[in-house]
Every structure is written in C-alpha cells, then in structure tokens.
Amino acid sequence: MKSVTEFKTIMTGNDAVAYGAKLARVKFISAYPITPQTTIVEKLASMIANDELDAKYVEVESEHSALAAVFASELTGVRSYTATSSHGLLYMHEMLHWVSGQRLPIVMSVVNRAIGPPWNIWADQSDTINQRDTGWMQVYSESNQEAMDTIIMGYKIAENSEVMLPLMSMEDAFILSHTSEPVTLRDQDLINEYLPDLDLKFRIDIGNPMGYGSYDTPDGTFMELKKDMVDSMKKAVRVIKDETEKFNQMFDTNYGGLVERYRMDDADYALIAMGTVASTARFVVDKLREKGLNIGLIRIRYFRPFPYDDILEDLKNIKAAGVIDRSVSFGYAGATYSEIVSALYGKINIPVSSFIVGIGGRDVRIEDIEKIADTVRNESSGVYWINVKKVI
Amino acid sequence: MPTSIPKEELMAPGHTACHGCGATLAMRYVLKAMGQKTVVSVPASCWAVIPGAMPFRTLDVPMVYTPFAATGASISGLREGLDIQGKTDYNVVGFAGDGGTADIGLQGLSGAMERGHNVFYIMYDNEGYMNTGVQRSGSTPYGAKTTTTPVGKERDFKKENKKIVADMMIAQNVPYVATATIAYPEDLIRKIDHAKAVHGPKFIQILAPCPTGWYYPPEKTIEISRLAVQSRMFPLYEFIQGKFYLNKSFKPVDVSEYVKAQDRFKHLNDDEIDNLRKYVDERWNQLLEWEKIYSEQKE
Ligand SMILES: Cc1ncc(C[n+]2csc(CCOP(=O)(O)OP(=O)(O)O)c2C)c(N)n1
Ligand code: SF4
Ligand SMILES: [Mg+2]
C-alpha cells in the first residue's frame, strides 16, 4: 500500500486556502493586497521564498491587473491563481467577464467582505453576489478544510472539457479567513492523482497562431458563444457532483455536491443558508429538534451553477422555508431567496421568506436564527432584516 | 535599393483599416523587426478592429485581445507564463494606442515597466481616441480639433499640451525607451533591434498619423509622419540603459508646414501657431539638456 502523508494540523482559513493552491500545483500567482485576503498571498509568497512551492509570484499594481496577468499566463497554458476581496473583486469586474468569455479555467479565492461606503472589512457576501452574472462558478465554504479542498476540486471541475469556466471559491471574512481550525493537509501524491496537470487545448502556440477574443458581429457567433457558456454552466452541475464524489472517496470526506443537507429527511420546515451562517443554523436546528420542531437545513455550496433541481427535490415535502442571505440586493430581497423562489415557481407552492443577516459583519447570533425559524414556522412570507437597529 | 527592412511579412494584406492608416504600417514594421516568434497583445483600439471579425486575423502570430486598460498586465502574465515553460525566446509585445497607454492604461504600463518583465510595450500614437470616433486623449497635441474638443462658435480646440509617455518612461528609468515614426522605417527597425538586445522592459512610442482623425488625405500619411519629425513636433530619440540620443539628422521645417497639412489644426490663427512654435522650441531645448545630463552621468 502506498504511504499516505496526510496530517492534521491547525490553521486559519487563509493558510488553508494557500495550501490548497500549493496542493493544486499552481504555477503562476498574481495578486494585489486587500484585507482580509492578504494572508493568503503572503503565505504563498513565503512558500515560494522557502522553496516549498515552485511558482512565480507577481504582485501587480491593481486587481484589474492581477486578473489580467493571471488571464494572460493561463492563456499560455500554465495553471494560474489569484485571490482578492470586496473592492478588489469589484475592481476586477471587467476582467471577470474577459476570463470567463475566453473560457479560462482559473480558480480565484475570494474572502467575502463588505463593500463601502462606509469602509468595512468584515464578513458580507455582497461582493461576490455582485459578480453573479460574470460567468464564474461560485462556491461558498463553511470550514477551513472545505476552503482548502475546494481550491483543488475547483481546478478539477473548471478544467473539465465540458465546463471550461472559471471558479471563485469563497470564505467569510475573519470567521474563516483569520480563525484557526483543525485542517487535514492532503497527501500531494494523492492530489496529483486526483488533479492532473493543466492541458489547455487552445494555449498560445507560435506554430499555430490564433486570435484570442477579437470581435464578433450580431450575425457571427457571439450569441452562440454566450449560450454555450450557459450550457456549460448547466453541464457543470453533473461534473461538480461527480468530482466532489470522487474527492469524497479518495479523501474520506463527505461534501455535498451543490448543496449540503442537514436533518432534511423528515423535516417540515427548512432553513437555507450559505457560508458560515450555516454553522449557527445547524446548531439551532438541533436545538429546535430537541423541542420537537421538525426543521432542517440546506446549505448552498454552489451559487453558480445554482442547484435548482436539488432545491425542488429537497423542498418537495416542506411546509415553509426561510432563506438566509448575508448580502443585499438594493430594491429587492436576498439573492439566494430570489433563486429559491424562481426554482419553486409553478412547481411547489409554499411560503418562503427572505432574511437579511450579518451585513457588514454584524454578528449572526443563535437567537437571530431562532427568530428566523419562528417566522418560518408561522408560515409567513416576507423580507425581514434581522438584528438591525432602529436608527432612523 | 538595398534596405535593412526584413522581407518577412507577418501581416497579411487583408485588413479593415482606413486607407493610409499609419497604425497599420507601424504594426507591419514592428512585426518585421520582431519576427515570427512573437505574441502580440492588443487592447481596445483601432487595432482591435483592424484584423477583422473572428475568425479572421491579419497577423501571422498569436494575438491576444484584452480589455482597454490591460495591456501592461497582460504582457506581464504572457511573459511569465511563457518563461515558466522555458519559452524565453518568444517576444512578448503589447501594442496599444495612445489612449490605452497615456490615459486608461498608464497605471498598468508603469506597473509592468517597474516590475521589470522582459517585454516590449509599443504605443502607436495617433493622438486621439480614433476607434471611438476621434475624441481627445492625453496624447492629443495643443491646437487639435477633435469631436470632444470641437471648434464651433467657441474655439474649443485642445488647449493643453501633449502628454508624452516616452518622457515619463525615461523618468521611470525604463531600460530602453525610444520614439519613432513610420516615415523612417529603417530607424524604427533599428530601434527595435536595439531594444531586443536589452533584457527587461522596453517602451517605444511610434507616431502613427491617422488620416481619418487628423483630417488630411490618406496619401499624405508618410509625408505628415516626416513633417512631424522635421518640425520637431515629434522628436525622435533613444534612451538606452541611461544614455540619451536625440536624432538631429533631418532637414528642419517650420511648425506651420506640419500644421497646415492637416485640417485638425485648420482653425489655428497665427498666434496659436506661434504657441506651438514656442512649445516645440522649449521642448527641443529640454531634450538637448537631457542629452547633456544623461551623457555626463554616464561618462
Ligand atoms: C473600459 C473601456 N472604456 C472605454 C472603451 C471604449 N473605447 C474603445 S477603443 C477606445 C479608443 C482607443 O483609443 P486609443 O487607445 O488611442 O487607440 P485608437 O483607437 O486611437 O487606435 C475607447 C475609448 C473601452 N473599450 N473600454
Ligand atoms: S481611424 Fe486612424 S488609426 Fe484608426 S484605422 Fe483609421 S486611419 Fe487607422
Ligand atoms: Mg489613439
């Protein structure tokens, strides 16, 4: 039997993510510092400086440039990586489209942080939710281990020939990024077996000169190219499930595919959450179960592609659901809420409420989730802001 | 007639540029000097359109199209990605307009040059945002009429002097900086050859007259390119590893000859032309000064 050199240690989410990139054998890293992402790229820079990672690290002069550099290096055929947060991600917006439109399977870590003004560095998923329509897959982790493993699975999924779309992998600011947890460092040989080297079919080649991203006309193939991205996003659903399952078997983990369910089998009521809020929600589910309430939790891992089919299946026998969002869509409800109600529309008719929590890092307490559960149990539907002060 | 211009053509005759387009000649000469082992990165600009709609392409080298501000960063990533794979002999060339260089891409350019990547950044300078219909850029010279500095009842032509990116690159101590123009292709090609010998970032600003945006007949492009040098509106120089060489071997002409050849300056009165004349003299003296300073430094 092959010796496996996995070992358990304690590290922050950002260190875990850096180890994820190292295990994925990234060869080019370009980034620009922003709290709370900084410790990811600092860690990677120090790994390179200490010969622990064979990669080139380039600190550029903006996030737009970071993603432009990563775009270009990936196009030459080397696995490339970047990490950012909040305003940095917004600054990348143009390049986000450029990367996905060019079908480059880049993986990027994003530490979810609020968008100013006022300046605020704490947990808030509005930054990535703002990038919903950029053609990137989006995964939200709940633990440091998951954040590490998602980088590795992310490259495997993104580089699948049926997918060829970039992926952003999220951690909630500070709650994961700067909090230490037990993490198992994966065995490099096993990872190599799981994730082969990048083989970009259309990489830059002097012997086969091509144009990359020139221009197209209304009668050309522009519309078809965009539809193909949507089709690939749909195909990604199966690939995500398969690749997550493969990973689970190789590394003895049990990640859900696009969603993770908790005590949903006999549930009458469902809470739906994304990121670390799910940990608190899981605790509350247990507490309420003890009191005899049949409630369960669905944790959304993938926001893109969105798990529409899973949701339909999971909410089949549910009386009412509450969707908890740590982001705001000005003028509407939570972003996950709108996805859920559109999944259910015309198929399952139950009350669904939207709960906005933890904006700008506001603590999401057990009592907050209890209040949410209470509202759900009353089978009401509406948009509720939780733990918000009356300031006006 | 014998010439130092390489015979190799890496730009096919089929393209969508306007008749008499200087930017097209600039690319053609640059590629001749670079050779086949070249990757070109082009941002939003006329040159993003000149090769035609996909799947057509005019260049016989890989061509990476990028967003407007991304030239500096994209050549950084291309260079490093290729080097990681041992493809160190590929030339990586950013080919951007003046808007994409002097304005929206200036930060990316400065960053790429500062980081020292082994790349060429070619700025083809047609002194305005031409692809979007001749708007003013930081590189538009004093006196020019553009669609955003129009001359109507008010004489709203551009009142500010040209921002000269090559000068900024010298201030940043980029290892190789030069200016060139298409009327002097042998000079241009020689400069690229010099640049090739320098390992590190290289910046060349090529004045590329544009009949469509400068409002002159297309057959005058070479003449106007030459007049730009002779009138000293666009001096040719070279800055190699801290040494500065100013090209003085041309038959001088008065600024008015350059100005009168283009309708973008048609509205200028004698006083205004005199403003340009003074500007040209001052700048020339400044360049002579630089020549002194940089040669003394190095002796
Ligand atoms: C971010 C962004 N802003 C604006 C534009 C619109 N735009 C496209 S090309 C162009 C002008 C380019 O000017 P220049 O760089 O001088 O090149 P030229 O067209 O003159 O050759 C502009 C403003 C764009 N593509 N992207
Ligand atoms: S507008 Fe000017 S630069 Fe653009 S293609 Fe026409 S002549 Fe060339
Ligand atoms: Mg221009």
Side-chain angles (χ1 to χ4, degrees):
Chain A
M1 204 186 121
K2 224 165 78 181
S3 73
V4 174
T5 53
E6 274 199 350
F7 72 99
K8 214 169 184 128
T9 172
I10 303 252
M11 63 172 82
T12 63
N14 276 358
D15 276 4
V17 159
Y19 276 106
K22 170 181 148 68
L23 285 161
R25 306 185 307 286
V26 301
K27 292 208 170 67
F28 181 78
I29 303 159
S30 182
Y32 188 80
I34 181 166
T35 304
Q37 152 264 32
T38 42
T39 50
I40 299 176
V41 290
E42 286 168 6
K43 182 78 189 171
L44 286 165
S46 104
M47 285 174 180
I48 294 170
N50 292 301
D51 292 335
E52 290 163 26
L53 172 62
D54 182 19
K56 176 82 186 176
Y57 178 79
V58 176
E59 185 176 307
V60 285
E61 75 310 314
S62 77
E63 286 87 357
H64 191 280
S65 286
L67 196 52
V70 160
F71 154 84
S73 66
E74 181 90 7
L75 201 52
T76 71
V78 303
R79 189 173 284 149
S80 304
Y81 173 81
T82 185
T84 190
S85 181
S86 178
H87 289 259
L89 183 66
L90 305 200
Y91 211 48
M92 283 181 178
H93 183 74
E94 184 187 34
M95 283 310 306
L96 292 175
H97 281 276
W98 210 264
V99 165
S100 61
Q102 194 57 60
R103 308 303 295 262
L104 292 173
I106 289 166
V107 171
M108 158 161 68
S109 295
V110 182
V111 186
N112 283 121
R113 164 188 151 176
I115 304 163
W119 288 111
N120 177 312
I121 57 170
W122 289 275
D124 186 323
Q125 296 169 346
S126 299
D127 53 357
T128 47
I129 290 300
N130 262 261
Q131 313 306 325
R132 183 190 64 185
D133 298 336
T134 54
W136 286 59
M137 293 180 279
Q138 291 201 346
V139 203
Y140 295 79
S141 290
E142 192 195 343
S143 69
N144 295 354
Q145 183 75 61
E146 186 180 11
M148 172 195 282
D149 293 341
T150 298
I151 302 292
I152 300 155
M153 284 185 269
Y155 278 109
K156 187 75 190 288
I157 292 157
E159 290 170 11
N160 186 294
S161 60
E162 303 246 323
V163 181
M164 293 303 285
L165 287 170
L167 179 143
M168 37 178 111
S169 172
M170 270 60 87
E171 294 174 275
D172 281 329
F174 298 104
I175 302 166
L176 288 190
S177 67
H178 286 63
T179 306
S180 294
E181 286 182 349
V183 169
T184 300
L185 271 178
R186 305 291 172 206
D187 174 67
Q188 186 70 61
D189 289 339
L190 271 184
I191 293 291
N192 296 353
E193 206 177 293
Y194 175 79
L195 178 69
D197 284 340
L198 170 66
D199 178 19
L200 193 72
K201 297 281 183 278
F202 50 84
R203 68 171 156 270
I204 289 171
D205 178 3
I206 299 291
N208 179 24
M210 290 193 279
Y212 298 89
S214 52
Y215 79 90
D216 208 349
T217 55
D219 293 333
T221 51
F222 189 92
M223 194 162 169
E224 289 69 23
L225 288 169
K226 299 300 154 185
K227 179 170 182 295
D228 191 64
M229 287 170 69
V230 174
D231 293 345
S232 297
M233 197 59 102
K234 281 196 190 130
K235 288 181 200 157
V237 170
R238 168 97 341 255
V239 176
I240 290 163
K241 288 182 178 172
D242 290 351
E243 289 303 339
T244 311
E245 196 40 45
K246 244 181 254 171
F247 192 92
N248 283 341
Q249 291 196 353
M250 279 181 85
F251 299 97
D252 197 23
T253 51
N254 59 351
Y255 297 116
L258 284 75
V259 299
E260 196 181 271
R261 302 161 181 95
Y262 186 67
R263 303 188 82 161
M264 281 298 294
D265 285 348
D266 61 340
D268 294 326
Y269 301 98
L271 297 178
I272 300 169
M274 198 160 75
T276 53
V277 169
S279 304
T280 316
R282 193 178 291 108
F283 181 84
V284 171
V285 164
D286 284 344
K287 219 173 144 192
L288 295 176
R289 282 271 178 174
E290 272 171 34
K291 291 187 185 159
L293 182 70
N294 282 348
I295 191 163
L297 169 73
I298 300 169
R299 177 168 73 90
I300 306 286
R301 293 187 67 228
Y302 278 81
F303 190 82
R304 281 288 178 274
F306 196 82
Y308 299 106
D309 292 341
D310 290 311
I311 292 297
L312 273 180
E313 188 59 30
D314 293 342
L315 296 186
K316 225 169 30 196
N317 302 314
I318 294 294
K319 291 185 182 144
V323 188
I324 308 171
D325 274 287
R326 192 172 209 141
S327 64
V328 209
S329 167
F330 300 108
Y332 192 49
T336 322
Y337 167 83
S338 64
E339 299 290 337
I340 300 285
V341 292
S342 84
L344 300 185
Y345 184 78
K347 297 186 180 103
I348 296 175
N349 192 11
I350 54 166
V352 183
S353 293
S354 172
F355 300 94
I356 309 292
V357 303
I359 298 303
R362 175 73 46 87
D363 201 14
V364 185
R365 305 159 305 182
I366 291 162
E367 65 212 75
D368 297 328
I369 309 276
E370 284 175 341
K371 202 158 144 198
I372 289 170
D374 221 39
T375 312
V376 173
R377 186 184 18 197
N378 288 332
E379 301 187 14
S380 69
S381 50
V383 181
Y384 304 93
W385 282 66
I386 302 300
N387 190 15
V388 65
K389 295 174 202 164
K390 302 249 176 316
V391 283
I392 310 163
Chain B
M1 206 173 80
T3 167
S4 61
I5 303 171
K7 290 250 172 343
E8 188 179 25
E9 287 290 357
L10 291 164
M11 194 179 117
H15 59 73
T16 68
C18 313
H19 287 256
C21 172
T24 311
L25 274 176
M27 176 69 93
R28 183 171 167 224
Y29 291 137
V30 165
L31 282 183
K32 278 173 173 288
M34 293 290 173
Q36 181 93 50
K37 275 203 168 170
T38 300
V39 179
V40 178
S41 170
V42 167
S45 60
C46 277
W47 251 106
V49 180
I50 290 170
M54 58 184 284
F56 297 107
R57 62 193 169 80
T58 300
L59 307 188
D60 205 15
V61 295
M63 192 172 169
V64 180
Y65 297 77
T66 69
F68 202 10
T71 310
S74 72
I75 55 178
S76 309
L78 287 170
R79 176 77 278 160
E80 299 309 324
L82 291 168
D83 283 0
I84 286 166
Q85 300 168 81
K87 297 172 181 171
T88 51
D89 56 338
Y90 286 28
N91 298 312
V92 173
V93 179
F95 197 90
D98 52 292
T101 305
D103 297 338
I104 197 168
L106 187 61
Q107 170 184 310
L109 162 67
S110 176
M113 298 291 111
E114 179 268 329
R115 291 189 299 271
H117 307 283
N118 186 27
V119 293
F120 300 84
Y121 191 116
I122 310 283
M123 166 188 183
Y124 73 94
D125 185 4
N126 54 22
E127 302 190 323
Y129 295 121
M130 297 319 183
N131 186 51
T132 37
V134 197
Q135 293 85 22
R136 162 206 203 278
S137 84
S139 193
T140 303
Y142 168 90
K145 169 186 82 174
T146 68
T147 54
T148 51
T149 53
V151 176
K153 281 187 186 150
E154 299 294 333
R155 295 161 47 73
D156 283 343
F157 60 82
K158 190 180 174 193
K159 299 289 174 9
E160 301 77 29
N161 282 325
K162 181 180 174 77
K163 179 204 288 192
I164 302 158
V165 183
D167 290 4
M168 299 170 85
M169 294 298 102
I170 291 177
Q172 208 185 301
N173 227 344
V174 171
Y176 185 90
V177 182
T179 59
T181 186
I182 51 170
Y184 302 91
E186 290 175 313
D187 175 71
L188 166 56
I189 280 163
R190 190 176 50 81
K191 281 172 175 160
I192 290 175
D193 285 343
H194 287 174
K196 275 174 147 179
V198 174
H199 189 88
K202 283 109 14 190
F203 178 86
I204 303 176
Q205 179 167 351
I206 303 177
L207 186 75
C210 162
T212 310
W214 296 9
Y215 311 110
Y216 66 80
E219 66 274 15
K220 299 272 188 206
T221 291
I222 300 299
E223 194 179 316
I224 283 173
S225 165
R226 193 180 305 118
L227 282 173
V229 175
Q230 292 176 314
S231 65
R232 298 176 301 166
M233 278 290 279
F234 193 85
L236 300 185
Y237 67 60
E238 205 172 17
F239 178 78
I240 316 180
Q241 315 265 28
K243 280 211 167 219
F244 185 84
Y245 305 93
L246 183 61
N247 188 333
K248 296 172 216 113
S249 59
F250 53 85
K251 185 175 128 263
V253 301
D254 186 66
V255 161
S256 58
E257 281 196 45
Y258 180 65
V259 165
K260 298 235 159 91
Q262 307 162 56
D263 282 358
R264 62 174 170 157
F265 296 119
K266 197 165 129 188
H267 47 273
L268 294 186
N269 61 33
D270 287 348
D271 285 348
E272 286 151 0
I273 294 175
D274 208 43
N275 286 341
L276 268 179
R277 200 174 281 119
K278 278 190 204 119
Y279 160 78
V280 156
D281 280 342
E282 274 169 27
R283 179 161 156 72
W284 187 256
N285 287 334
Q286 180 197 23
L287 294 177
L288 289 172
E289 201 61 32
W290 284 8
E291 201 177 35
K292 248 194 271 166
I293 293 166
Y294 284 112
S295 55
E296 276 163 15
Q297 256 182 17
K298 289 281 156 177
E299 294 313 314

Coordinates of all heavy atoms in Angstrom, one line a residue, chain B residues 19 32 47 55 69 79 112 138 140 142 147 159 162 168 182 185 193-194 203-204 207 239 248 250 271 279 282 289 292:
Chain B
H19 N -7.9 53.7 -45.4 CA -6.8 54.0 -46.4 C -5.8 54.9 -45.7 O -6.2 55.9 -45.1 CB -7.4 54.6 -47.6 CG -8.1 53.7 -48.5 ND1 -7.6 53.2 -49.7 CD2 -9.4 53.2 -48.3 CE1 -8.5 52.4 -50.2 NE2 -9.6 52.4 -49.4
K32 N 7.9 42.9 -38.6 CA 9.0 42.5 -39.4 C 10.3 42.5 -38.5 O 11.1 41.6 -38.6 CB 9.2 43.6 -40.5 CG 8.4 43.3 -41.7 CD 8.5 44.5 -42.7 CE 7.8 44.2 -44.0 NZ 8.5 43.2 -44.8
W47 N -6.7 48.9 -33.5 CA -6.0 47.7 -33.8 C -6.8 46.4 -33.3 O -6.4 45.3 -33.6 CB -4.5 47.7 -33.3 CG -3.7 47.7 -34.5 CD1 -2.9 48.8 -35.0 CD2 -3.5 46.7 -35.5 NE1 -2.3 48.5 -36.1 CE2 -2.6 47.2 -36.5 CE3 -3.9 45.4 -35.6 CZ2 -2.2 46.4 -37.6 CZ3 -3.5 44.6 -36.7 CH2 -2.7 45.1 -37.7
P55 N -13.7 34.6 -37.5 CA -12.4 34.0 -37.1 C -11.2 34.6 -38.0 O -10.1 34.0 -38.0 CB -12.6 32.6 -37.5 CG -13.5 32.6 -38.7 CD -14.4 33.9 -38.5
A69 N -7.6 48.6 -20.5 CA -6.6 49.0 -19.5 C -5.6 47.9 -19.3 O -4.7 48.0 -18.4 CB -7.2 49.5 -18.2
R79 N 4.4 37.0 -20.5 CA 5.9 36.8 -20.4 C 6.2 35.7 -19.3 O 6.9 34.8 -19.5 CB 6.6 38.1 -20.0 CG 8.1 38.0 -19.7 CD 8.9 37.9 -20.9 NE 9.0 36.6 -21.5 CZ 9.3 36.3 -22.8 NH1 9.6 37.3 -23.6 NH2 9.4 35.1 -23.2
A112 N 4.0 47.5 -15.2 CA 4.7 46.4 -15.9 C 6.2 46.8 -16.1 O 7.1 46.0 -16.0 CB 4.0 46.2 -17.3
G138 N -5.0 62.2 -23.8 CA -3.9 63.0 -23.1 C -2.8 63.2 -24.1 O -1.9 64.1 -23.9
T140 N -3.2 63.9 -27.3 CA -3.6 64.9 -28.4 C -2.8 66.1 -28.2 O -2.7 66.6 -27.1 CB -5.1 65.2 -28.3 OG1 -5.8 63.9 -28.4 CG2 -5.5 66.1 -29.5
Y142 N -1.6 70.2 -28.4 CA -2.3 71.5 -28.4 C -2.7 71.9 -29.8 O -2.0 71.7 -30.8 CB -1.2 72.5 -27.9 CG -1.7 74.0 -28.0 CD1 -2.4 74.6 -27.0 CD2 -1.4 74.7 -29.2 CE1 -2.8 76.0 -27.2 CE2 -1.8 76.0 -29.4 CZ -2.5 76.6 -28.4 OH -3.0 77.9 -28.5
T147 N -13.5 65.5 -31.8 CA -15.0 65.5 -31.6 C -15.4 66.0 -30.2 O -16.5 66.3 -30.0 CB -15.7 64.2 -32.0 OG1 -15.0 63.2 -31.2 CG2 -15.5 63.9 -33.4
K159 N -6.5 72.8 -25.6 CA -5.7 73.9 -25.1 C -4.5 73.4 -24.3 O -3.6 74.2 -24.0 CB -6.5 74.8 -24.2 CG -7.8 75.4 -24.9 CD -7.3 76.5 -25.9 CE -8.4 77.1 -26.7 NZ -9.8 76.8 -26.5
K162 N 0.5 68.1 -25.3 CA 0.6 66.6 -25.4 C 1.3 66.1 -24.1 O 2.3 66.5 -23.7 CB 1.3 66.3 -26.6 CG 1.5 64.8 -26.9 CD 2.3 64.6 -28.2 CE 2.6 63.2 -28.6 NZ 1.5 62.5 -29.1
M168 N 7.9 60.1 -19.8 CA 7.5 59.5 -18.4 C 8.3 58.2 -18.2 O 8.8 57.9 -17.1 CB 6.0 59.3 -18.3 CG 5.2 60.5 -18.5 SD 3.5 60.1 -18.7 CE 3.0 60.0 -17.0
I182 N 6.6 56.1 -38.7 CA 6.6 55.3 -39.8 C 7.3 55.8 -41.1 O 7.7 55.1 -42.0 CB 5.2 54.9 -40.2 CG1 4.3 56.1 -40.3 CG2 4.6 53.9 -39.2 CD1 3.0 55.9 -40.9
P185 N 11.2 54.0 -41.5 CA 11.1 52.6 -41.1 C 12.4 52.0 -40.7 O 12.5 51.1 -39.8 CB 10.5 51.9 -42.3 CG 10.7 52.9 -43.5 CD 10.8 54.2 -42.9
D193 N 15.6 46.5 -33.0 CA 16.8 45.7 -32.8 C 17.6 46.0 -31.6 O 18.0 45.1 -30.8 CB 17.7 45.7 -34.1 CG 17.1 45.0 -35.2 OD1 16.2 44.2 -35.0 OD2 17.5 45.2 -36.4
H194 N 17.8 47.3 -31.3 CA 18.4 47.7 -30.1 C 17.7 47.2 -28.9 O 18.3 46.8 -27.9 CB 18.6 49.2 -30.0 CG 19.6 49.8 -31.0 ND1 19.8 51.1 -31.2 CD2 20.5 49.2 -31.8 CE1 20.7 51.3 -32.1 NE2 21.2 50.1 -32.5
F203 N 10.1 50.2 -24.0 CA 9.0 51.1 -24.4 C 9.3 51.9 -25.7 O 10.3 52.6 -25.7 CB 8.6 52.0 -23.3 CG 7.4 52.9 -23.6 CD1 6.1 52.5 -23.4 CD2 7.6 54.2 -24.2 CE1 5.0 53.3 -23.8 CE2 6.6 55.0 -24.5 CZ 5.3 54.5 -24.3
I204 N 8.5 51.7 -26.7 CA 8.7 52.5 -27.9 C 7.4 53.2 -28.3 O 6.3 52.6 -28.4 CB 9.2 51.6 -29.1 CG1 10.5 50.9 -28.7 CG2 9.4 52.5 -30.3 CD1 11.0 49.9 -29.7
L207 N 4.8 57.4 -33.5 CA 3.8 58.3 -34.1 C 3.2 57.7 -35.3 O 3.9 57.3 -36.3 CB 4.4 59.7 -34.4 CG 3.4 60.7 -34.8 CD1 2.6 61.2 -33.6 CD2 4.0 61.9 -35.6
F239 N 16.7 56.1 -25.6 CA 17.2 56.1 -24.3 C 17.6 54.7 -24.0 O 16.7 53.8 -23.8 CB 16.2 56.7 -23.3 CG 16.5 56.7 -21.9 CD1 17.3 57.7 -21.3 CD2 16.0 55.7 -21.0 CE1 17.6 57.7 -20.0 CE2 16.3 55.7 -19.7 CZ 17.2 56.7 -19.1
K248 N 19.1 64.3 -34.7 CA 19.1 65.7 -35.2 C 19.3 65.7 -36.7 O 19.4 66.8 -37.3 CB 20.2 66.5 -34.5 CG 20.0 66.7 -33.1 CD 21.2 67.3 -32.4 CE 21.4 66.8 -31.0 NZ 22.6 66.0 -30.8
F250 N 17.9 65.7 -39.7 CA 16.8 65.9 -40.6 C 16.8 67.3 -41.0 O 17.4 68.2 -40.4 CB 15.4 65.6 -39.8 CG 15.3 66.3 -38.6 CD1 14.7 67.6 -38.5 CD2 15.6 65.7 -37.3 CE1 14.6 68.3 -37.3 CE2 15.5 66.4 -36.1 CZ 15.0 67.7 -36.1
D271 N -1.2 83.5 -34.0 CA -0.8 83.5 -32.6 C -0.7 82.1 -32.0 O 0.2 81.7 -31.3 CB -1.7 84.4 -31.7 CG -1.4 85.8 -31.9 OD1 -0.4 86.1 -32.6 OD2 -2.3 86.6 -31.5
Y279 N 6.4 76.1 -28.0 CA 6.4 74.8 -27.3 C 7.4 73.9 -27.9 O 8.2 73.2 -27.2 CB 5.0 74.2 -27.4 CG 4.9 72.7 -27.2 CD1 5.0 72.2 -25.9 CD2 4.9 71.8 -28.3 CE1 5.0 70.8 -25.7 CE2 4.9 70.4 -28.0 CZ 4.9 69.9 -26.8 OH 4.9 68.6 -26.5
E282 N 10.9 75.0 -26.9 CA 11.2 74.7 -25.5 C 11.5 73.3 -25.3 O 12.4 72.9 -24.6 CB 10.0 75.1 -24.6 CG 10.0 76.6 -24.2 CD 8.7 77.1 -23.6 OE1 8.0 76.2 -23.0 OE2 8.4 78.3 -23.7
E289 N 19.1 69.4 -23.4 CA 19.5 69.4 -22.0 C 19.7 67.9 -21.5 O 20.7 67.6 -20.9 CB 18.5 70.2 -21.2 CG 19.0 70.7 -19.9 CD 20.1 71.7 -20.0 OE1 20.2 72.4 -21.0 OE2 21.0 71.7 -19.1
K292 N 22.7 66.2 -22.7 CA 23.9 66.6 -21.9 C 23.9 65.8 -20.6 O 24.9 65.2 -20.2 CB 23.8 68.1 -21.7 CG 24.9 68.8 -22.4 CD 25.1 70.2 -21.9 CE 24.2 71.2 -22.7 NZ 24.0 72.5 -22.1

